[in-house]
Amino acid sequence: MSPVATFECETVSREFQFVGQCATGNFPASFPETAIKVQTAFVLRRSEISGVINPEVLYSPYMCNGPVATYFACSEVEEVKQVPEGMLGFKVAFTDYAKISCSNMTVGEGYSKLFEWIQTQGHTQKSGYNSTPIEIYYFEDDVEEEVVELLIPIEEFAGS
């Protein structure tokens, strides 16, 4: 097991404001290529965004309806004000998430462990409106393996 991928799970509750780019492709056939392409294009333009909370973090919310998925590459901003041409700004409403810490080399394993944890905790994955999963990438210079956090929207915590 990688020292970068701790596979620690927890619940978090928060909202996000993003500015970024997106791409849509056939799912799962065009992934991860579509995701990598939009992330690469975004990294070249992220300096155009004002009010970025941490420029060394890439947020990738996504939506999938079965045959197609839309994948975003974004920066979190203090407030969606000015959106550069060709990008979009949006807010993800306050949501409860199940979160796991893994790495760019262990994302598949991270998802498997997180979904198992969600079930053992008595939660269910939230679906429909305001149920956007998010991948969070932490950029580091000159490393092959970087920390990635996966957030899956869940129904309210048991006992809430």
Side-chain angles (χ1 to χ4, degrees), residues 21-143:
Q21 297 172 260
C22 68
T24 300
N26 292 333
F27 186 81
S30 67
F31 285 84
E33 293 81 12
T34 298
I36 293 167
K37 187 175 180 181
V38 73
Q39 287 177 334
T40 302
F42 175 73
V43 166
L44 297 174
R45 295 193 59 203
R46 66 185 172 167
S47 63
E48 298 173 33
I49 301 168
S50 61
V52 173
I53 292 173
N54 184 344
E56 297 306 313
V57 180
L58 173 78
Y59 292 83
S60 288
Y62 61 90
M63 295 168 235
C64 184
N65 71 355
V68 295
T70 300
Y71 193 87
F72 296 81
C74 304
S75 287
E76 184 179 18
V77 295
E78 296 166 6
E79 184 179 355
V80 176
K81 287 184 187 176
Q82 298 175 336
V83 178
E85 187 173 335
M87 292 190 190
L88 60 142
F90 60 101
K91 181 178 180 177
V92 176
F94 191 85
T95 304
D96 296 328
Y97 293 96
K99 178 179 121 180
I100 192 168
S101 180
C102 57
S103 79
N104 58 317
M105 307 290 211
T106 60
V107 169
E109 186 178 356
Y111 274 112
S112 295
K113 289 180 181 293
L114 185 56
F115 283 119
E116 181 181 309
W117 185 83
I118 289 169
Q119 185 176 18
T120 62
Q121 296 298 306
H123 301 304
T124 57
Q125 181 178 357
K126 189 175 183 180
S127 60
Y129 188 71
N130 288 335
S131 63
T132 306
I134 302 170
E135 298 176 351
I136 305 172
Y137 296 85
Y138 294 87
F139 294 122
E140 295 183 50
D141 292 333
D142 302 321
V143 296

